[in-house]
Each structure stands twice: as C-alpha cells, then as structure tokens.
Amino acid sequence: MPEINPDNWVEDHGDYLYNYALVRVGRPEVAEDLVQETFLAGIKALASFEHKSSVQTWLVAILKRKIIDYYRKKSTVREEVHVEERFGPYGNMQDHWVEKHAPAQWQLNSDELLENDELKKILQACIRHLPGKWASCFILRVMEELKGDVVCKELNISPSNMWVMLHRARLQLRDCLEKGWFNQ
C-alpha cells in the first residue's frame, strides 16, 4: 500500500474540499473551518484508512459528516419564525394561491439555470436567509440527497416536520430567487 502523506493534503485536496463545503454551507469562513476539521479528523483516523478508496474520496466522506454535524448543531438553536399564508383558507379559494404569492413565470430553461454562477451565488444567499433548521433540512435532504430518515435522525425531527420545513424552505427560496434573480 502506498504511503499517505498528510503534508500534501492541503495542496492536493484543499481547493476541492473547500468548494465542496462552500456549496453546501454558503459561508466561506464556515467552509474553511469544516475543511480544517476534516484534515484534523483525517490525520487522527489515518491508521484506520483501509485504502478502499482514494484519499480524496475518504476526505470527502469525513467532510460530509462534518457538514451534517454543523447543521445538526445549528438546528438545535430555537428561532421564532413567521409564516405568511400563501393559499386561500376557505371557500372556493381553499388550496389556491393567494394572488401576491402566486409563482411568477421564469424565462430560463433548467439547463441554463444549472450552469449559471450568478444564480448559484444568489441561491446561496437565499439559503443563508432561511431559518437555521429549514436551511439544514433543505441542504441535507435536497442538496446532499440524504434519505429522509437520515435527515430526521440527524436533525432530531419527525418526518412530517421535515416535509413541512422542506415545503416552507422551497416557498421562501422561490420568493427569494424571484426577487433576487428572475425579476431583475
């Protein structure tokens, strides 16, 4: 087995890990801290590395756990959240959009959107404005693509609570994107 030299990790893997973390946490200082914690954890666990994957893949797996831990800690903070009703509460408007909250028409197709760096920055800013637990839930379930039961366990929430948080996060993100991107 080849010898692994942690002295080269920052140069060989630092940029990749930082970008990976930044996309998921949206804050450069937090991404830097998570990468540093990943390197430290990797050095501590070096003896248990089994060479079944590349060093980078192994470090990414450690970083994923650090990101989950970050959101778990962040989600324990209680926040007061005001939710504005978006659907008609009764009569023939029940379950229909209240006019001021109806979705706007977006003019770009999804392929153009996925490759747009400016949109990614705005999305990260919008995620930063979500209540902490909503952001944690959204990132772990949607961006990290973790299974619902894993997200519930990590954030200590019920499945129904997770779906409510995801729904509210998506609505708020849609509003934020429409204001910050699509209505420019």
Side-chain angles (χ1 to χ4, degrees), residues 4-32:
I4 298 171
N5 185 359
D7 295 339
N8 299 332
W9 285 358
V10 173
E11 185 177 324
D12 294 345
H13 310 293
D15 289 342
Y16 181 84
L17 295 173
Y18 173 77
N19 287 325
Y20 185 92
L22 183 60
V23 165
R24 284 150 181 83
V25 298
R27 295 180 51 212
E29 63 279 2
V30 174
E32 289 170 2

Side-chain angles (χ1 to χ4, degrees), residues 68-85:
I68 290 169
D69 290 345
Y70 166 76
Y71 281 114
R72 183 187 307 123
K73 288 175 190 167
K74 190 175 175 183
S75 73
T76 60
V77 176
R78 293 268 180 218
E79 298 177 63
E80 190 67 33
V81 178
H82 170 71
V83 178
E84 193 173 334
E85 291 300 321

Side-chain angles (χ1 to χ4, degrees), residues 12-183:
D12 294 345
H13 310 293
D15 289 342
Y16 181 84
L17 295 173
Y18 173 77
N19 287 325
Y20 185 92
L22 183 60
V23 165
R24 284 150 181 83
V25 298
R27 295 180 51 212
E29 63 279 2
V30 174
E32 289 170 2
D33 290 345
L34 290 172
V35 171
Q36 287 177 5
E37 290 175 22
T38 298
F39 287 143
L40 289 173
I43 289 170
K44 288 178 184 175
L46 194 56
S48 66
F49 180 60
E50 298 177 354
H51 298 275
K52 292 181 180 176
S53 64
S54 70
V55 172
Q56 182 167 301
T57 301
W58 180 63
L59 290 172
V60 168
I62 294 171
L63 179 58
K64 284 181 178 182
R65 290 300 316 162
K66 297 294 178 188
I67 291 169
I68 290 169
D69 290 345
Y70 166 76
Y71 281 114
R72 183 187 307 123
K73 288 175 190 167
K74 190 175 175 183
S75 73
T76 60
V77 176
R78 293 268 180 218
E79 298 177 63
E80 190 67 33
V81 178
H82 170 71
V83 178
E84 193 173 334
E85 291 300 321
R86 296 168 183 278
F87 299 98
Y90 49 84
N92 65 352
M93 290 306 291
Q94 185 173 355
D95 297 330
H96 289 274
W97 289 102
V98 172
E99 179 128 2
K100 72 178 187 175
H101 294 296
Q105 293 289 31
W106 294 356
Q107 300 301 316
L108 300 174
N109 70 44
S110 59
D111 292 334
E112 292 171 322
L113 295 175
L114 290 174
E115 307 219 354
N116 192 304
D117 289 334
E118 187 179 351
L119 175 62
K120 289 177 188 173
K121 287 178 186 174
I122 291 172
L123 178 60
Q124 287 176 345
C126 290
I127 290 172
R128 279 195 303 273
H129 286 92
L130 289 174
K133 217 165 196 175
W134 294 8
S136 302
C137 186
F138 181 81
I139 289 171
L140 294 176
R141 180 70 179 104
V142 177
M143 296 177 75
E144 284 295 315
E145 298 180 341
L146 295 178
K147 293 187 182 291
D149 58 332
V150 174
V151 173
C152 291
K153 181 181 175 197
E154 295 297 339
L155 298 180
N156 194 28
I157 58 176
S158 68
S160 59
N161 195 357
M162 178 190 69
W163 291 114
V164 169
M165 286 183 198
L166 286 172
H167 176 71
R168 290 177 178 172
R170 287 178 176 129
L171 290 174
Q172 191 166 326
L173 287 172
R174 190 200 71 213
D175 286 350
C176 181
L177 287 171
E178 286 177 350
K179 290 174 187 156
W181 174 256
F182 293 104
N183 290 338

